[in-house]
Amino acid sequence: MKTVLTYGTFDLFHVGHIRLLKRLKSLGDRLIVCVSSDEFNSLKGKKSFFSYDERAEIVNACKYVDLVIPENNWSQKRKDIIDNDVDIFAMGDDWKGKFDDLSDLCEVIYLNRTENISTTDIKSKLSAINKDELSVIEERLHDVIEIVKILSEK
């Protein structure tokens, strides 16, 4: 069994995330996704729209993902690779070269990002929306999470 491991924040889950996870899953039999915790994001100076628990639940509901674990710090990658018997460590090509030091433990791959979509772009477009409109959008997104929860229980 070939195990693939990746890391990310996965905020405002979108088609780019799905396409990346699909490509990652095609590299092996098992896909483990480490989702950045809220505390770790805070240390990185990032603030997610959704909480860690919500983001982890969304990622876990994706049919390509076999296991979701929290990313709590930069240095846990080596331990995660060893503990989960990882064969391939894969990230988006925006991280190209940053994790080559892990190649003594497993194969390191950088995949092209999905063009024309990113969480940063979505957040930028959302920032142009007024507060009332944003409240409606946030309410609807949380409704979607509830629907995903119900569907994942079936």
Side-chain angles (χ1 to χ4, degrees):
M1 178 184 289
K2 191 178 270 191
T3 300
V4 179
L5 175 68
T6 194
Y7 290 76
T9 302
F10 296 96
D11 197 17
L12 300 182
F13 200 76
H14 53 72
V15 71
H17 291 131
I18 292 171
R19 290 176 184 165
L20 174 65
L21 294 172
K22 182 178 182 180
R23 286 184 289 152
L24 290 166
K25 178 67 174 202
S26 74
L27 298 174
D29 307 298
R30 182 172 179 236
L31 175 59
I32 301 171
V33 179
C34 295
V35 176
S36 298
S37 68
D38 296 329
E39 296 78 14
F40 186 46
N41 276 342
S42 181
L43 289 173
K44 294 186 288 184
K46 293 174 80 174
K47 172 81 171 111
S48 293
F49 185 81
F50 290 112
S51 72
Y52 166 79
D53 289 334
E54 291 170 321
R55 290 180 287 114
E57 186 172 337
I58 291 166
V59 171
N60 195 50
C62 181
K63 70 180 182 178
Y64 305 112
V65 176
D66 297 295
L67 177 65
V68 173
I69 58 178
E71 178 185 24
N72 296 309
N73 58 66
W74 289 112
S75 62
Q76 77 182 64
K77 290 172 181 61
R78 287 184 129 353
K79 183 174 180 350
D80 290 344
I81 290 168
I82 294 166
D83 289 352
N84 292 285
D85 234 358
V86 171
D87 300 286
I88 298 172
F89 175 90
M91 294 291 287
D93 64 358
D94 52 329
W95 291 97
K96 193 166 188 132
K98 301 268 197 243
F99 301 109
D100 290 350
D101 63 308
L102 300 173
S103 62
D104 63 322
L105 297 174
C106 63
E107 184 178 0
V108 177
I109 297 174
Y110 302 97
L111 298 176
N112 292 338
R113 293 176 58 99
T114 304
E115 288 188 31
N116 302 319
I117 186 161
S118 74
T119 302
T120 303
D121 290 344
I122 293 169
K123 285 183 176 181
S124 176
K125 289 174 184 170
L126 287 174
S127 69
I129 297 171
N130 72 44
K131 287 184 180 186
D132 291 336
E133 292 170 322
L134 192 57
S135 293
V136 170
I137 291 169
E138 182 176 4
E139 185 176 310
R140 290 184 182 156
L141 285 172
H142 285 285
D143 290 343
V144 168
I145 290 173
E146 289 305 313
I147 291 168
V148 168
K149 284 181 187 177
I150 291 167
L151 292 175
S152 67
E153 292 172 359
K154 292 183 178 184

